[in-house]
Amino acid sequence: MTTTPIPPSTTAQSVVSLMDSIADVGRDTARGGYSRPVYSTPELDLRSWFVEAAERRGLEVETDRNGILWAWWDVPGHDRTDAVVTGSHLDSVPGGGAYDGPLGVASSLAAVDVLQQRGFAPSRPIAIAVFPEEEGSRFGVACLGSRLFTGAITPAKALNLRDAEGSTFADVLRANGQDPAAVGVDRAGLERIGLFLELHVEQGRGLVDLDAPVGVASSILGHGRWRLSVSGQGNHAGTTLMADRRDPMVAAARAVVAVRDIALLHESARATVGRLTPVPGGTNVIASRVDFWLDVRHPDDAVTAAVVEQIHAAARAVAAEEGCTVDLVEESLSATVHFDTAVATGLSAATGGSPLLPTGAGHDAGVLSAHVPTGMLFVRNPTGVSHSPEELCEDADARTGAVALADTLAVHAG
Ligand code: GLV
Ligand code: MN
Ligand code: MN
C-alpha cells in the first residue's frame, strides 16, 4: 500500500488530534453536545473526514450498498476475505456526547498509525468499518446499517421507516446517491469478515469502579423499542370543561409513571420514555394523540417481554380511565448478546489483562456477533455519563485504548 509517512509523535496521539479535528462538527447549540443524525450535514461531513483520513493512511475506501464505509489495508496476494475488521459509527443521539461512536472510528485510524509506525506487515487484511444509523435517532431502529447488512431487518421494513419530517429511509438514501433497491443482507460482505472488533467509550461507571483504562465486553443487555400511541379527542383548551375531556396527554403522563413503577418491580430491568410527541402540539390545544417511545432492557429476554406486556396493560387501563385508547407497535428488539468467550479472553490477554464487563448499551458489534466472531473494547469514561454532553474520555485513556486496539489487531492480523 502507498502511505504518507506519519511522524512518530502522531501515532497513538493521533486519536486525540483526530477527535480534536471533529470537535466542531454537529455541535448542538440548543440542546448542548452533538446532534449528528444519519445523512445529516454533520454526519456527512464526518464521513468525508473519515474518507480523507483513511486515504491519507493509504487505505482504500468503499461505500457498500447499505451505506457502510469500509477502509481497507490490503495484503498483497490476499483477497478481501478473512479480514480483521474494526470500527464503529459516526451518528449520534440528539444532544449526545463527543465519544459515542467517533472514539471507535478515531481509535481505529490511530491504531493503523501505531501499526504503520511499528512497520507492521499484516498477513490478513485489516479494515475499518463505519456503520450508519447506529443510534436509530433519525429512523427509529438502532443499528439500522448492521441490521440491513446481516439481514436482521428486511429491506421493505427499513425503506418504509420515516424520520420526524416524514421522509422515508428510501427517500433519504436516494437523496444521498444510494440505491434503495440495493439495500439488504450482504452475505459476500459478511464473508469478508474473519473477526470484528469495536472499540467504544464506556457508557457507565464500570471501568471507573474497576480502576482500569480499558475493558473487554462480556455481554450486551437485551433491549428493544416500542412506540405507544394514545388517542383521545383534540379540542379547545378554553372551552372544554375538565369533566368533558378525553385528553391523551393525561393518559400518556400516567402511563409514563407506570413505566417507571413496573420496571422497579423487576430486578435489573431498565425502562425509559425519552421521547414524547403530542399531536398537533399547541399550548392552547388538547392533543388528539400523543406518541411516546419506550426503551426496555433486561438480561433475560422473557422478562423484557413480560415488562412490555405489563406496561401495555397499564397503559390500556389508564387510557380507558381517561376515555382514550392506546396502540403499541414494536420497532426493534435485540436479544441479550454474550460475546464469544475465546475472543473476549484473547482481547483481555492482548491488552495486558483488561477486565471483562457487561454493558447496558447496544452496539453494531452485538448485531454482527450473531454472524462472525466479535469482541469489544471499552475505554474508561470518568463521568460514567453517556448520551449526554457530559460523556467524557481522558486523552491518556484514549491513547491507551488506541494502543490496545493496535495490539489486538496485531495479534489477529500478524
Ligand atoms: C445505543 O447506544 C443504545 O444503547 O441505545
Ligand atoms: Mn455507540
Ligand atoms: Mn449510543
PDB file of all heavy atoms in Angstrom, residues 135 203 225 297 361-362 387, ligand 1:
ATOM      1  N   GLU A 135     -27.510   4.722  16.164  1.00  0.00           N
ATOM      2  CA  GLU A 135     -28.365   5.170  17.274  1.00  0.00           C
ATOM      3  C   GLU A 135     -29.851   5.027  16.959  1.00  0.00           C
ATOM      4  O   GLU A 135     -30.670   5.068  17.872  1.00  0.00           O
ATOM      5  CB  GLU A 135     -28.071   6.633  17.623  1.00  0.00           C
ATOM      6  CG  GLU A 135     -26.642   6.897  18.082  1.00  0.00           C
ATOM      7  CD  GLU A 135     -26.337   6.323  19.465  1.00  0.00           C
ATOM      8  OE1 GLU A 135     -27.207   5.656  20.054  1.00  0.00           O
ATOM      9  OE2 GLU A 135     -25.215   6.540  19.942  1.00  0.00           O
ATOM     10  N   GLN A 203     -20.058   3.421  28.635  1.00  0.00           N
ATOM     11  CA  GLN A 203     -21.208   4.311  28.805  1.00  0.00           C
ATOM     12  C   GLN A 203     -21.766   4.270  30.218  1.00  0.00           C
ATOM     13  O   GLN A 203     -22.838   4.804  30.493  1.00  0.00           O
ATOM     14  CB  GLN A 203     -22.252   3.986  27.730  1.00  0.00           C
ATOM     15  CG  GLN A 203     -21.669   4.326  26.350  1.00  0.00           C
ATOM     16  CD  GLN A 203     -22.549   3.944  25.190  1.00  0.00           C
ATOM     17  OE1 GLN A 203     -22.516   2.815  24.735  1.00  0.00           O
ATOM     18  NE2 GLN A 203     -23.339   4.883  24.712  1.00  0.00           N
ATOM     19  N   ARG A 225     -37.320  -1.412  21.453  1.00  0.00           N
ATOM     20  CA  ARG A 225     -38.014  -0.122  21.399  1.00  0.00           C
ATOM     21  C   ARG A 225     -39.449  -0.350  20.927  1.00  0.00           C
ATOM     22  O   ARG A 225     -39.676  -1.118  19.989  1.00  0.00           O
ATOM     23  CB  ARG A 225     -37.334   0.816  20.396  1.00  0.00           C
ATOM     24  CG  ARG A 225     -35.926   1.169  20.776  1.00  0.00           C
ATOM     25  CD  ARG A 225     -35.353   2.126  19.738  1.00  0.00           C
ATOM     26  NE  ARG A 225     -33.963   2.409  20.047  1.00  0.00           N
ATOM     27  CZ  ARG A 225     -33.234   3.315  19.415  1.00  0.00           C
ATOM     28  NH1 ARG A 225     -33.756   4.025  18.428  1.00  0.00           N
ATOM     29  NH2 ARG A 225     -31.981   3.517  19.756  1.00  0.00           N
ATOM     30  N   ARG A 297     -34.976  -2.754  28.718  1.00  0.00           N
ATOM     31  CA  ARG A 297     -33.786  -3.628  28.679  1.00  0.00           C
ATOM     32  C   ARG A 297     -33.777  -4.550  29.891  1.00  0.00           C
ATOM     33  O   ARG A 297     -34.129  -4.133  31.001  1.00  0.00           O
ATOM     34  CB  ARG A 297     -32.507  -2.773  28.671  1.00  0.00           C
ATOM     35  CG  ARG A 297     -32.545  -1.736  27.554  1.00  0.00           C
ATOM     36  CD  ARG A 297     -31.265  -0.965  27.378  1.00  0.00           C
ATOM     37  NE  ARG A 297     -31.518   0.139  26.438  1.00  0.00           N
ATOM     38  CZ  ARG A 297     -30.648   0.610  25.561  1.00  0.00           C
ATOM     39  NH1 ARG A 297     -29.438   0.108  25.501  1.00  0.00           N
ATOM     40  NH2 ARG A 297     -30.973   1.595  24.746  1.00  0.00           N
ATOM     41  N   ALA A 361     -25.584  -0.915  26.985  1.00  0.00           N
ATOM     42  CA  ALA A 361     -25.774  -0.151  25.742  1.00  0.00           C
ATOM     43  C   ALA A 361     -25.698  -1.070  24.535  1.00  0.00           C
ATOM     44  O   ALA A 361     -24.921  -2.026  24.522  1.00  0.00           O
ATOM     45  CB  ALA A 361     -24.708   0.934  25.632  1.00  0.00           C
ATOM     46  N   GLY A 362     -26.468  -0.757  23.513  1.00  0.00           N
ATOM     47  CA  GLY A 362     -26.452  -1.542  22.285  1.00  0.00           C
ATOM     48  C   GLY A 362     -25.337  -1.103  21.352  1.00  0.00           C
ATOM     49  O   GLY A 362     -24.876   0.041  21.424  1.00  0.00           O
ATOM     50  N   HIS A 387     -24.785   9.452  26.195  1.00  0.00           N
ATOM     51  CA  HIS A 387     -25.973  10.019  25.536  1.00  0.00           C
ATOM     52  C   HIS A 387     -26.278  11.383  26.152  1.00  0.00           C
ATOM     53  O   HIS A 387     -27.443  11.745  26.353  1.00  0.00           O
ATOM     54  CB  HIS A 387     -27.183   9.082  25.630  1.00  0.00           C
ATOM     55  CG  HIS A 387     -27.072   7.903  24.700  1.00  0.00           C
ATOM     56  ND1 HIS A 387     -28.041   6.950  24.552  1.00  0.00           N
ATOM     57  CD2 HIS A 387     -26.083   7.547  23.831  1.00  0.00           C
ATOM     58  CE1 HIS A 387     -27.661   6.047  23.651  1.00  0.00           C
ATOM     59  NE2 HIS A 387     -26.472   6.390  23.207  1.00  0.00           N
TER      60      HIS A 387
HETATM   61  C1  GLV B   1     -27.273   2.874  21.842  1.00  0.00           C
HETATM   62  O1  GLV B   1     -26.321   3.491  22.270  1.00  0.00           O
HETATM   63  C2  GLV B   1     -28.235   2.300  22.758  1.00  0.00           C
HETATM   64  O2  GLV B   1     -27.837   1.549  23.666  1.00  0.00           O
HETATM   65  O3  GLV B   1     -29.418   2.618  22.653  1.00  0.00           O
END
